[in-house]
Amino acid sequence: MSIAIIVHGGAWAIPDDQVEEHRAGCRAARDAGWQILANGGSAMDAVEAAVRILEDAPIFDAGVGSVLNRSGYVELDAAIMDGDNLYYGSVAGVRRIRNPITLARHVLNSPAGMLVAEGAERFAKERGMAFCDPEELIVEREFKIYEQIKSTYDTSKDHASTPPPGERDAQLSAGGYPHRPGDTVGCVAVDSNGWIVAGTSTGGTGYKMVGRVGDAPILGGGLYAMNELGGCSTTGWGESIMRVLLAKTAVDNLHDDIHPQDAATKAIEHLANRAKGIAGCILADRHGRVGWAFNTPRMAHAWRTADGQDGAGV
Ligand code: ASP
């Protein structure tokens, strides 16, 4: 079997002065995951290791460095899916866990598929995970953005600024919406046994409503994996991603051994046409081939495959 790994660090208008840090973060995550795969390790270990590195890098909207919600604190969502037995672990709205991908993996090995907020944290404690102070997740960059949005945000227009499905995304891409998708992170890996795993982790969207959960921890939206076809992790405007179950759509597009590049492009076209959505996705298939697509100005990503393909782009 051909091993492969692909990671992403968010799809949006990543500013020029943040490009190198995004690229470096994606490379570091890819290299850590690759090392595990190349030593005969599992796709599950590779995805967890890669996503943890991205969560720990403050440049990304996952773990430390995440965007703040309307009340000025971080709420984290993450999920991991096993493409062999289709089991998944998912957590949403956690506030005191630095690496939610690891908690999601614990959930995968529990009777539940998804745990939220207090229940998720209680379970983390049962599994012996360390808690952090919620303040530790906040970096100055995001605090400043939060303060800036808060000072200009007009709640009386809140309703008006939540237009019907699709239009909000169009406004966002035109730069007219105060919230921005962040640098959600994700990884898909294929190991030497043909096992495919996908994982996604995020702080969600900037200035999100308290309790808002996007696509990232939702099976079929933010991630999907099945060994017969491949795996996918997505990033972008979660509400639009969920309307077309972007990750499942992209994986389904791999039928008849269609190349992941074509499958990813088709999935993003569908998102744009059907839901006026903006997003990016990364794909790896059962042959160890990778592909990606995005309709945002940029998407941070990095990949490596057994046939020597290797790169990182923003
Ligand atoms: N998809 C994430 C969400 O909507 C945001 C992102 O990808 O940056 O929560």
Side-chain angles (χ1 to χ4, degrees), residues 61 77 181-184 202 204-205 212 214-216 234-239 241:
D61 175 26
D77 310 327
D183 306 287
T184 290
T202 190
T205 49
R212 177 267 187 192
D215 60 299
T234 70
T235 172
W237 205 256
E239 280 73 11
I241 289 172

Side-chain angles (χ1 to χ4, degrees), residues 112 130 152 183 187 197 208 215 227 248 258 303-304:
T152 52
D183 306 287
C187 176
V197 172
K208 66 185 181 182
D215 60 299
N227 286 2
K248 178 70 163 72
I258 285 174
W303 73 96
R304 185 167 292 152

Side-chain angles (χ1 to χ4, degrees), residues 5-267:
I5 188 163
I6 181 162
V7 305
H8 72 74
W12 61 294
I14 297 167
D16 289 346
D17 63 357
Q18 290 185 20
V19 164
E20 273 323 306
E21 208 174 336
H22 278 79
R23 200 193 312 270
C26 286
R27 272 202 195 113
R30 173 204 63 193
D31 291 349
W34 180 263
Q35 179 100 12
I36 291 170
L37 298 171
N39 288 333
S42 73
M44 187 64 75
D45 286 343
V47 168
E48 184 188 1
V51 173
R52 281 181 68 102
I53 285 176
L54 295 162
E55 288 175 337
D56 287 343
I59 192 72
F60 299 112
D61 175 26
V64 175
S66 287
V67 299
L68 310 192
N69 66 16
R70 285 190 190 190
S71 289
Y73 59 86
V74 167
E75 290 176 296
L76 300 171
D77 310 327
I80 193 160
M81 181 171 186
D82 178 335
D84 181 28
N85 56 20
L86 307 186
Y87 285 13
Y88 67 99
S90 168
V91 295
V94 298
R95 297 182 56 189
R96 294 185 296 159
I97 302 294
R98 286 182 86 94
N99 294 106
I101 195 72
T102 295
L103 179 54
R105 187 173 175 181
H106 281 300
V107 175
L108 187 147
N109 294 308
S110 84
M114 183 173 196
L115 291 174
V116 303
E118 192 201 328
E121 292 189 359
R122 192 181 295 188
F123 178 66
K125 197 167 180 192
E126 272 173 37
R127 291 291 169 115
M129 285 186 73
F131 279 35
C132 68
D133 181 335
E135 296 279 320
E136 284 173 35
L137 301 172
I138 301 176
V139 297
E140 199 186 336
R141 176 195 71 234
E142 293 304 328
F143 184 70
K144 280 189 182 153
I145 292 172
Y146 165 76
E147 292 278 284
Q148 187 211 332
I149 297 177
K150 195 177 162 205
S151 65
T152 52
Y153 196 80
D154 182 352
T155 43
S156 70
K157 292 203 181 126
D158 212 16
H159 190 67
S161 67
T162 309
E167 284 179 30
R168 177 169 52 178
D169 302 326
Q171 282 186 18
L172 177 82
S173 51
Y177 195 68
H179 310 238
R180 63 171 177 87
D183 306 287
T184 290
V185 306
C187 176
V188 183
V190 185
D191 70 21
S192 53
N193 293 313
W195 189 13
I196 302 173
V197 172
T200 304
S201 182
T202 190
T205 49
Y207 212 64
K208 66 185 181 182
M209 292 168 71
V210 173
R212 177 267 187 192
V213 176
D215 60 299
I218 306 296
L219 219 61
L223 76 167
Y224 202 78
M226 58 195 300
N227 286 2
E228 305 89 310
L229 290 170
C232 176
S233 170
T234 70
T235 172
W237 205 256
E239 280 73 11
S240 67
I241 289 172
M242 282 194 284
R243 283 179 216 128
V244 297
L245 287 178
L246 184 61
K248 178 70 163 72
T249 299
V251 169
D252 285 345
N253 287 349
L254 292 168
H255 65 86
D256 297 322
D257 284 336
I258 285 174
H259 196 282
Q261 193 54 51
D262 298 328
T265 302
K266 211 172 128 199

